[in-house]
Amino acid sequence: MSYVLNVAPVPSIPVKGTDDRFPVRRIFCVGRNYAEHAREMGFDPDREPPFFFTKPGDAIVMDGAEIPYPPMTGNFHYEIELVVAISGGGLNIKESEALEHIYGYAVGLDMTRRDLQLFMRKIGRPWCWGKAFDNSAPIGEITPVAQCGHVDHGHIWLDVNGERQQDGDINQLIWSVPEVIAHLTQSIALAPGDLIMTGTPAGVGPVVAGDRLSGGIDGLGGLSISIVDPL
Ligand code: MN
C-alpha cells in the first residue's frame, strides 16, 4: 500500500532539557475557565459544566516564531493558557486518576479572531472560524511531569511589547486540570499526543502586526512570538 499524496509531517513540540519532541494529535480547549475572564466576555462565572472547542494539531506554532496577521479579522486576540500534554487516554477517566494520564505541561496562546467568534456566536453558527485557523496555537516547550511535578497553582502572565496585559494564577481555574480531564472524557476518548488548553485569565485584548507577545507560567518554559504583516 502507498499513499496517493506525501504524508503531512506530524506536528510536534520540543521537550525541555532533551532533544526529543512530543508528537501532537488533537488540541482541545476549555472555554471561560477563569471567573474574571468570563465576566469580561459578558458572562456570569457560575460553575456550569465546562465546555470545549478544538483546534487542528497543525495550528501549532513554535516558540520564537513570527505569525502573519490572519485573514478575516480586525480584532486578533491573545489568550495565555496552561497547556496539558496527554500521554495516556481513554473514555470516562476518573478525576482521582486523571493526573496519571499527563506527560507534561507547557505555556500556550489560544489566538482568537474575536470579531469572527462573537459574530458566529450571535448568529448561532459554530465558533470554529474564530478559534481554529492557521497558526492559532503557539505553544512553548513541554516540561515533563518528572521535572516540574503537577501544576495546580503558580503565576501565569502575558506581556505585549513589554507591558503586562494578563496576570493571574493557575489556582484561579474554575475547573481544575483533573476535573477538565474527567469532563472531557465523558464526551471523547483522549489519546496519547492530545493537548488541552485550559482557559485564559482576564485581560485579553487585540494585537497588530509589529507586536511582540511574551508569556509564562511559574516553573514552566516561557513563550514568545511576534505578529507580522499578513501573507
Ligand atoms: Mn482560550
Side-chain angles (χ1 to χ4, degrees):
M1 197 279 285
S2 59
Y3 291 107
V4 299
L5 297 175
N6 291 330
V7 176
V10 175
S12 66
I13 300 172
V15 174
K16 188 179 183 179
T18 75
D19 294 328
D20 298 333
R21 300 179 72 87
F22 180 91
V24 174
R25 185 169 171 177
R26 298 167 294 183
I27 307 174
F28 298 97
C29 307
V30 187
R32 300 195 287 267
N33 202 18
Y34 289 78
E36 280 304 314
H37 174 63
R39 283 189 203 101
E40 76 180 349
M41 294 301 290
F43 290 88
D44 197 348
D46 279 347
R47 211 163 182 260
E48 7 164 34
F51 67 93
F52 301 93
F53 57 93
T54 61
K55 292 176 186 267
D58 63 5
I60 282 180
V61 174
M62 294 299 107
D63 183 28
E66 294 183 335
I67 298 184
Y69 195 92
M72 299 290 290
T73 185
N75 198 19
F76 185 37
H77 273 211
Y78 51 78
E79 297 188 358
I80 193 78
E81 309 202 0
L82 171 68
V83 180
V84 180
I86 298 294
S87 53
L91 261 181
N92 295 313
I93 295 174
K94 291 193 192 85
E95 201 184 309
S96 59
E97 294 169 5
L99 295 179
E100 298 165 21
H101 296 265
I102 298 174
Y103 174 78
Y105 296 87
V107 178
L109 278 162
D110 167 13
M111 298 303 293
T112 302
R113 296 190 282 205
R114 189 73 70 202
D115 40 2
L116 207 44
Q117 178 202 12
L118 298 183
F119 176 68
M120 295 307 237
R121 189 171 83 192
K122 187 171 153 196
I123 63 173
R125 290 188 186 157
W127 277 17
C128 48
W129 255 201
K131 288 289 194 178
F133 53 96
D134 297 339
N135 303 313
S136 60
I139 298 182
E141 63 182 0
I142 292 176
T143 305
V145 169
Q147 291 180 39
C148 62
H150 285 288
V151 180
D152 59 4
H153 67 281
H155 190 200
I156 176 171
W157 70 92
L158 180 75
D159 295 345
V160 178
N161 303 324
E163 284 195 27
R164 185 69 31 108
Q165 300 294 338
Q166 290 189 276
D167 206 348
D169 196 291
I170 300 300
N171 68 13
Q172 297 164 334
L173 283 172
I174 294 173
W175 296 95
S176 70
V177 169
E179 288 171 331
V180 163
I181 290 173
H183 274 275
L184 185 52
T185 61
Q186 288 171 13
S187 293
I188 55 95
L190 274 175
D194 288 339
L195 300 175
I196 305 171
M197 304 189 80
T198 56
T200 196
V204 301
V207 285
V208 296
D211 284 345
R212 181 173 172 78
L213 290 71
S214 187
I217 295 172
D218 283 347
L220 303 181
L223 173 64
S224 294
I225 58 158
S226 301
I227 311 298
V228 298
D229 286 332
L231 289 176

